[in-house]
Structures are given as structure tokens and as C-alpha cells.
Amino acid sequence: MARRLSIAGLAGAGVVSGLATWTAVNRAVVHRLARRPDPVDAADLLLPEDLVEHTLAMSDGWVIRVVERGPKDGPPVLLLHGITLGAAVWPYQLTELPEAGLRVVAVDMRGHGHSGGVATDDDKEPAQATMTLDRMAADVEEIMEMLDLDGVTIVGHSMGGMVTLRLLAGSPKLASGTGRVGALVLAGTTANATSRRGLPGLTDLVAVARPLVSSASGLAARLPGPTLPANDLAYMLARVTFGDRSSHRQVAFTGHLTSEVPVRISAELILEIVRFNSEDVLSSIDLPTTVVVGDHDVMTPLSQSEYLARHIAGARLVVLPGCGHMLMLERPEELNRTIAARCGRDI
């Protein structure tokens, strides 16, 4: 027994020592990155002060916050962010695209940013969100109706692109270009997150681990608190999503956004993303489409964007060298030109 306890003690000590070493290295890396010259000013990551804000009640009682900027009669652009981000992740787009005459609308997807539940009366807790990609797609359709967005170019980043594909899968009219959607920009996204076109071995791993992922997500969905604490861990995980020209301020900003999303929201959505497959809708899309991806994107690799571009008729593929997953921050000029061009404008 004593020997078993000794082995257990040594193992525990090894784990603690390993964690301590990892933490120390992690902190040292973060501090080193923070000391590097940064071309990005903190003010660049602030949203414009003249945004128009909308608080929109969805059909299930959930409240979605939307911000917009630009002329009301300009070609509309709808920005849909990725998991654990928010409308705040589009400062460059909300600043520059309206100057080209575009009406730019950014959504805090349900569970993110300032979007939240509503109580049915004063004695009840706010309603819990139905946290699925299909429900998010329904939100987008309702938002387009409420704001009278017609001929809109949807810019879907990562999960936002998946929601866009779910929206089109549920509405042949929208997919055919005879509804409110006029064009697509699919940025750093996929039609099937766990396909063999993604990270090596991920499909096999998911097949084996799916029950565990489901159980873990179910458990995490009942936990209070944020997805990640606002510390060096959030920074380091955010850094993985950037390419080789990362800005310390942009990485820290992304980590901060992630730290503000409740863990129950991200847990439910991770399970949704693992289950996601909208490959069947691609051949039915009859909309002008641009697919944009960074060749250093480890979250939705280049091969997944290439698949989208091959299977959506007439789609154009734009590859940004050296760019990671956060292309709206890393390479705003190229992304903004791509969006504007899809709307028939030059910037």
C-alpha cells in the first residue's frame, strides 16, 4: 500500500510539476510577445462611436443585439462572427466599409457579446437560449426581415459561415438567389468541420471520441462562468488562431472576447460544430460567392476552403499568405477589398 501511495504521490507531483513548468513557460512567452513592437494601436480595435444599435426580439423570446453603420440605402453587408467572438471583432470592417457606401450590419450571435435572454415576467430568470446552428440561422433570417436587408452580402466567418450554410440549406429560395441574400463571402469556414479534408486524423478521432465529447459538452453546459479565464491561457489559445504576422494587441483582444462567453454556450456550440455537415447544400447555391482563407489557418485549413470553392458553382477562392484564422483582424485590407468587390464597390 505504501508503495502504491508512493507511486501515486510521484505521479501527482509529476503532474503538478509539469503544470507549473508549462505555466511558467506560457507566462514567459506571453510577456516576451508583449514586449515586441506592435504595429496595431489599441484604438484600432475600438468600434466606431457613431454605430446605430438595435435590440431585436427573436421569435423564441431571445434578444439579439445588432450594430450597423453606413448609408441606409447602401448595398447591405451582414457580418456573422465565429464561436466565442462577437460583433466587436469587426472594427476594421465597421470603420472602412461604410466609407465605400456600404450599409454594414454586425450581429452579436445568440449567447455572444450583448445578446441575451429575456424574462417572461419579473419573477423568472432570463430564458435559456436554444443554442444550435439551425436556431442561429433562424435568427439571421429574422434579422434580415426586421432590418429589411434585401440583396444582402452575408460575410460568414468560421461558425458564422456554418450558420450561413444552414440558412441556405433550410431555404431553397435564399440559396437560389431569389430571396433576400444576394451574395456570399465565406471566410475561414467549412461545410464539414470533421471531414478528412481537415486536420489529419480528426475524423477518426471524432468518431471514437464523439460520445465523450457529447458527455463533456453536456457537463460543461451546466457549468457557470466564462469559456476561459481572462489570463495568459486565453492569450496563448487565441495565439494559435493567428498566422505568422500576429499582433500582440489583436491576440489579447481575441482572448478577451473568448473569456467573456459563458462556458455553457461554447460547450453546446462545440458539439454542434462537431456534428455539422452541410456539404449537400453546396451544389444548390446559386449566389455570387467568394471563399477567403489564410494559408496558415489551423482551425479551418485551406483544404476545406478549396472544397467549398470547388463545389459552389462559380465561387472564387482568395488565399491570404501567412494569414491564420482571424483574417478580419490580421488582414483587414484584403478582406475589406474582397467584401467591397463582391458588393460592386472599390476601396
Side-chain angles (χ1 to χ4, degrees):
M1 177 65 73
R3 186 171 181 272
R4 290 178 183 173
L5 289 175
S6 177
I7 292 174
L10 288 172
V15 170
V16 171
S17 176
L19 287 173
T21 300
W22 184 87
T23 301
V25 171
N26 172 24
R27 184 173 292 114
V29 170
V30 172
H31 291 171
R32 177 174 60 81
L33 292 173
R35 289 195 297 269
R36 292 191 316 187
D38 195 328
V40 174
D41 190 274
D44 295 338
L45 300 175
L46 298 177
L47 294 178
E49 295 182 354
D50 58 346
L51 290 176
V52 176
E53 184 170 338
H54 306 279
T55 302
L56 306 177
M58 300 293 102
S59 57
D60 68 344
W62 196 253
V63 171
I64 301 295
R65 182 240 191 182
V66 175
V67 296
E68 72 167 281
R69 186 168 182 262
K72 283 283 188 180
D73 59 352
V77 175
L78 185 61
L79 304 175
L80 306 179
H81 63 76
I83 187 171
T84 73
L85 299 173
V89 82
W90 304 101
Y92 298 103
Q93 289 67 46
L94 284 163
T95 297
E96 297 171 11
L97 291 175
E99 305 308 318
L102 303 178
R103 179 188 179 188
V104 184
V105 180
V107 181
D108 274 336
M109 308 284 271
R110 63 172 52 210
H112 296 72
H114 297 279
S115 294
V118 291
T120 54
D121 60 51
D122 294 338
D123 298 326
K124 291 185 178 180
E125 292 295 320
Q128 295 294 309
T130 300
M131 202 56 57
T132 66
L133 299 181
D134 284 333
R135 180 57 247 189
M136 287 180 161
D139 292 342
V140 173
E141 191 160 17
E142 292 181 28
I143 289 167
M144 291 192 298
E145 292 288 336
M146 290 179 180
L147 297 183
D148 193 24
L149 302 179
D150 202 16
V152 63
T153 296
I154 297 182
V155 180
H157 172 247
S158 194
M159 181 188 74
M162 299 178 196
V163 169
T164 302
L165 294 179
R166 276 284 197 252
L167 172 68
L168 301 180
S171 174
K173 182 177 180 179
L174 293 177
S176 68
T178 57
R180 287 187 175 274
V181 181
L184 304 176
V185 175
L186 300 175
T189 192
T190 178
N192 185 346
T194 58
S195 71
R196 294 186 183 277
R197 292 176 298 280
L199 301 178
L202 180 60
T203 301
D204 296 332
L205 175 63
V206 169
V208 173
R210 192 184 296 274
L212 178 60
V213 172
S214 180
S215 298
S217 296
L219 175 61
R222 294 192 292 271
L223 296 176
T227 297
L228 290 172
N231 58 18
D232 291 348
L233 174 60
Y235 181 95
M236 290 302 291
L237 292 178
R239 175 64 185 84
V240 172
T241 66
F242 281 75
D244 59 7
R245 306 179 192 176
S246 64
S247 151
H248 166 70
R249 289 191 178 93
Q250 290 179 349
V251 173
F253 173 67
T254 302
H256 172 72
L257 291 177
T258 297
S259 71
E260 291 192 320
V261 176
V263 66
R264 68 174 186 83
I265 300 295
S266 56
E268 292 180 22
L269 288 174
I270 285 171
L271 185 56
E272 279 284 293
I273 289 171
V274 167
R275 294 169 172 167
F276 175 76
N277 184 347
S278 284
E279 293 178 348
D280 290 348
V281 74
L282 301 182
S283 62
S284 68
I285 295 175
D286 188 16
L287 293 163
T289 300
T290 303
V291 180
V292 192
V293 64
D295 66 1
H296 282 41
D297 189 337
V298 300
M299 307 303 290
T300 52
L302 172 60
S303 56
Q304 297 192 357
S305 288
E306 290 174 333
Y307 183 87
L308 287 173
R310 282 198 308 271
H311 289 80
I312 298 175
R316 174 176 177 243
L317 177 65
V318 176
V319 181
L320 303 180
C323 184
H325 191 59
M326 299 299 293
L327 30 71
M328 75 284 285
L329 297 176
E330 296 178 71
R331 306 289 278 278
E333 293 86 2
E334 289 98 323
L335 181 60
N336 288 352
R337 281 199 297 269
T338 298
I339 295 170
R342 187 45 78 196
C343 297
R345 298 296 174 95
D346 293 322
I347 58 173

